[in-house]
Amino acid sequence: MPPHKLCYKTLLKKNLPFLGALLLLGFTLYEISFYIFKTYRAFFNSDAAIANILAEEIVQAESFFPSHWWYVNNDLWVFYKQLLVIPWVLAGKNGYFAHAFTVFEVSVFMIIFIYLFLRSLMLSRASSVMGGVVVSIGYSPMYLRELYGEAAYTWYFIFMIAFMFIFRKLSPHVISKRTQIKAFIAFMILLYLLVLANPIRFFVYYITPFFGALALLVYFARDSLRTFKGAMLRMLSIKRIAISIFACAVMTGATITHFTLLESLHFAGGANNAPLVPLEDLPVHAAHALLGLWNFIGSEWGTNIRASSLEGIVSLAKFVLFPFVLVIPALHIKKAFYQMSSTERLFVLFSYVGFALLLVLYSTTALHEHAWAARNNIRYLSPFIMMVLICNVIMWRFFSLFMKLILSVSLTIALGVSWQYVSPKEWRGIVDERIALVEELKSRGLHFGYAEYWDSHIYTVFSDGEVDIRPIDFDEKEGMKLVKWLSSDRWYQKDTTDGKVFFMVIPEDIDDMYRAIRDFNMPDPLEQFTLGKYTFFVFEKNPLYVKRTKAEARKKKRIMTAP
């Protein structure tokens, strides 16, 4: 064989794993881009739309923290999707594409950052690319929805990777003082922004897992006196003590700023007020939290699946194999402890402490009010699930052939079934219905209305702001009331609109709408029509302020006073 052909063959063989990893990454990127730009339009919800809505409020108020906006969970949205949507608002293109482009942009940045972090750990190019692959696979509809649809907690995962990357640059192996100074400045800026956003959430997501990981580092190092002393000396070094003191000062300043800002803003309750569930409900609630985890990673199967069918066999395989992906790295921590770098140890232990903490909170508290909600919306756990997936890549070299086989089969199955989650059969019909509804409202000259929260912001974004639908709530006891949850006071002001106003009502709330017309002493609607699952009540003017004339007045009982 000619020397040049032998050289090409050797080069190809050497780069084959890297090329294979790139091919897998390309496939997963295509899937998530298809989901983000196409499929998710059918599942796009009001929580996902909030970044678009808040960006618009920021631009109109000319304030980064609009005083008329109702924040929740004590979260100040400091560094979040709305920052990337603001340019689209200024360009007059604040629609679904702005949301999709922002999420895709963040997803690509996340994959690049994972690659750079894993390369800094001296992993191969192929392994570093696989880090992006394992978090990009559509393991389940919930996984896709939370990470590449709503994409709220993807940011927390990126921040965690960023912290670990910075720790790596601050470690003694970095000789360049310039690099360490840059890393120190970046660390303090990131620390300030995250604490400013929500000190309590920062404590749960970062502080507790960090100190838990440090405690485990000391615990695992106890077997070797030399390693134990080395671990303690590194923790008690003058450099680390100085960084810790400065970090405490930054966190204190950010906390003070956070609570100072709270005094001038509107805040509703939320997850920060979650109580412990009653003890008699704990077993069921904890079981649903575990089922929620199974659902999130794609291990839970659907209904009416025949066991002897291919779908039944795959469902059983996922049920058995996928949970192993979350525990295999934990089984190898002690064995591989001395072969891992300090950053790898910290990353793995941080991941598992955070994972365990959030799972316990889900199991024991009412982060969501009912056990059903804990099962179907376990999103707070998603950043740590992604971290654990990365742990499999970091610790791959320590796994036995059998464990590698389990992970490889799990990955193959996940890739094989992902398209059915990326492009389910029903998505096109739902999107067509949503677009048709917006077009019908525009053709009727209806540009402002009210609907329940989950039916409101969706269509505002779908219409590129041409049809503003603002949230209200129907309550059996309190009647119709304004929504002070991720909303703006200005939507309910008298001068909000001077044209027609409609109420978009789902079937179960129609009686409550008639009750609201009576209780608010509203004039009769100009027209009433049905479109899809909604019934529309159209008024000539905003009925919250234009009342029935005295000649037509009825006995009324005010349930709510509009501001």
Side-chain angles (χ1 to χ4, degrees):
M1 183 180 292
H4 66 279
K5 287 188 177 181
L6 183 62
C7 181
Y8 287 143
K9 186 176 180 180
T10 304
L11 191 63
L12 180 63
K13 186 177 179 180
K14 181 180 179 182
N15 291 287
L16 196 58
F18 178 60
L19 294 173
L22 282 178
L23 185 63
L24 290 176
L25 181 61
F27 175 74
T28 57
L29 267 176
Y30 171 75
E31 284 199 327
I32 64 173
S33 63
F34 187 94
Y35 181 82
I36 292 167
F37 287 98
K38 297 286 187 180
T39 310
Y40 188 63
R41 291 179 298 167
F43 309 105
F44 184 61
N45 60 40
S46 287
D47 275 356
I50 285 299
N52 298 68
I53 304 298
L54 180 55
E56 183 179 344
E57 293 298 313
I58 289 172
V59 171
Q60 292 195 7
E62 297 182 349
S63 170
F64 194 71
F65 297 113
S67 60
H68 52 258
W69 182 261
W70 283 89
Y71 294 88
V72 299
N73 299 332
N74 277 18
D75 285 329
L76 285 173
W77 290 20
V78 178
F79 198 79
Y80 190 57
K81 286 188 297 182
Q82 86 279 1
L83 278 179
L84 302 178
V85 177
I86 287 175
W88 294 91
V89 177
L90 296 173
K93 300 291 184 181
N94 187 22
Y96 181 82
F97 185 81
H99 160 85
F101 186 86
T102 297
V103 172
F104 184 72
E105 187 179 8
V106 170
S107 302
V108 171
F109 176 77
M110 174 192 71
I111 291 170
I112 292 172
F113 213 74
I114 290 171
Y115 177 83
L116 294 175
F117 170 66
L118 294 180
R119 286 294 286 164
S120 75
L121 295 178
M122 308 305 291
L123 268 66
S124 67
R125 292 185 302 164
S127 296
S128 300
V129 171
M130 286 303 296
V133 172
V134 296
V135 299
S136 302
I137 298 173
Y139 294 99
S140 69
M142 186 190 293
Y143 188 92
L144 285 166
R145 184 192 75 197
E146 295 298 341
L147 301 180
Y148 299 107
E150 188 173 330
Y153 289 86
T154 306
W155 291 77
Y156 289 92
F157 171 70
I158 293 174
F159 293 145
M160 290 170 184
I161 294 288
F163 267 124
M164 293 298 166
F165 189 70
I166 291 169
F167 283 142
R168 182 68 175 171
K169 295 301 180 183
L170 285 171
S171 63
H173 84 281
V174 177
I175 301 174
S176 171
K177 293 294 181 184
R178 188 177 216 177
T179 300
Q180 292 199 339
I181 291 172
K182 288 179 180 178
F184 176 79
I185 294 171
F187 175 76
M188 294 305 165
I189 292 174
L190 186 59
L191 191 65
Y192 181 83
L193 292 175
L194 287 172
V195 177
L196 176 62
N198 190 328
I200 296 173
R201 193 185 290 270
F202 179 79
F203 181 82
V204 173
Y205 271 90
Y206 298 94
I207 296 297
T208 304
F210 178 74
F211 281 102
L214 287 183
L216 287 174
L217 279 173
V218 174
Y219 173 78
F220 283 113
R222 77 193 192 286
D223 291 344
S224 167
L225 183 61
R226 180 180 177 183
T227 306
F228 179 78
K229 288 180 178 179
M232 295 305 297
L233 285 174
R234 284 195 297 273
M235 290 183 188
L236 298 176
S237 68
I238 295 175
K239 176 183 173 182
R240 292 183 183 272
I241 291 173
I243 291 174
S244 299
I245 292 172
F246 202 91
C248 288
V250 169
M251 287 190 290
T252 302
T255 302
I256 293 171
T257 305
H258 173 86
F259 287 106
T260 302
L261 283 170
L262 286 186
E263 295 176 0
S264 60
L265 299 173
H266 295 321
F267 269 88
N272 48 304
N273 297 326
L276 291 167
V277 298
L279 282 175
E280 61 269 23
D281 298 335
L282 184 60
V284 173
H285 198 87
H288 276 265
L290 190 60
L291 285 171
L293 175 61
W294 251 241
N295 187 20
F296 192 90
I297 62 175
S299 287
E300 187 180 37
W301 58 70
T303 56
N304 300 320
I305 296 177
R306 193 158 50 92
S308 59
S309 66
L310 178 62
E311 186 180 8
I313 294 171
V314 171
S315 296
L316 286 169
K318 290 194 299 178
F319 179 78
V320 173
L321 293 176
F322 281 15
F324 274 97
V325 177
L326 300 180
V327 300
I328 288 176
L331 299 176
H332 291 75
I333 291 175
K334 182 172 176 58
K335 181 179 178 181
F337 186 79
Y338 294 110
Q339 286 118 311
M340 289 192 289
S341 68
S342 58
T343 308
E344 288 174 328
R345 295 171 190 164
L346 181 62
F347 184 95
V348 173
L349 294 175
F350 181 94
S351 303
Y352 275 103
V353 172
F355 177 85
L357 173 64
L358 265 294
L359 188 59
V360 168
L361 287 176
Y362 255 106
S363 301
T364 59
T365 69
L367 278 176
H368 291 282
E369 293 181 4
H370 309 289
W372 179 90
R375 176 178 179 175
N376 288 276
N377 206 348
I378 199 162
R379 59 187 178 186
Y380 299 135
L381 195 59
S382 52
F384 289 108
I385 292 176
M386 297 173 81
M387 294 276 283
V388 172
L389 290 173
I390 297 293
C391 289
N392 284 281
V393 177
I394 291 175
M395 299 187 68
W396 175 265
R397 64 189 187 275
F398 303 117
F399 298 156
S400 65
L401 183 61
F402 179 69
M403 291 299 182
K404 288 180 179 180
L405 180 62
I406 289 177
L407 288 174
S408 299
V409 172
S410 299
L411 184 68
T412 302
I413 294 175
L415 283 168
V417 301
S418 59
W419 185 253
Q420 67 177 302
Y421 306 137
V422 169
S423 182
K425 295 178 182 178
E426 70 274 14
W427 76 266
R428 296 180 188 275
I430 298 173
V431 172
D432 290 342
E433 288 177 6
R434 290 181 163 187
I435 293 174
L437 186 145
V438 169
E439 293 303 317
E440 179 66 21
L441 291 177
K442 289 194 292 185
S443 70
R444 289 173 177 261
L446 300 175
H447 299 282
F448 187 88
Y450 297 102
E452 286 207 296
Y453 176 81
W454 292 109
D455 300 300
S456 58
H457 298 318
I458 301 170
Y459 297 103
T460 303
V461 174
F462 258 76
S463 68
D464 290 353
E466 291 186 50
V467 181
D468 290 331
I469 304 179
R470 305 309 186 182
I472 55 167
D473 188 31
F474 290 104
D475 185 271
E476 291 182 2
K477 295 181 179 179
E478 300 180 34
M480 187 177 72
K481 58 183 180 178
L482 309 182
V483 173
K484 296 182 178 181
W485 176 278
L486 299 176
S487 61
S488 171
D489 279 344
R490 73 178 187 87
W491 299 339
Y492 310 105
Q493 301 299 327
K494 189 173 183 178
D495 59 352
T496 299
T497 181
D498 59 359
K500 292 180 181 179
V501 172
F502 63 86
F503 284 76
M504 189 172 77
V505 183
I506 56 177
E508 51 264 39
D509 290 335
I510 290 178
D511 289 340
D512 291 324
M513 182 64 208
Y514 283 122
R515 176 187 171 192
I517 292 174
R518 182 187 69 248
D519 293 342
F520 276 87
N521 198 31
M522 297 178 183
D524 290 330
L526 286 177
E527 61 176 321
Q528 180 178 330
F529 63 91
T530 301
L531 192 60
K533 67 177 181 179
Y534 303 108
T535 298
F536 289 81
F537 295 79
V538 182
F539 298 85
E540 186 175 2
K541 298 288 183 181
N542 194 331
L544 296 178
Y545 300 97
V546 178
K547 306 303 178 185
R548 181 179 294 274
T549 62
K550 289 183 179 180
E552 301 173 317
R554 306 177 188 180
K555 185 179 179 181
K556 62 180 180 178
K557 179 182 178 183
R558 294 297 292 272
I559 302 300
M560 169 190 78
T561 301

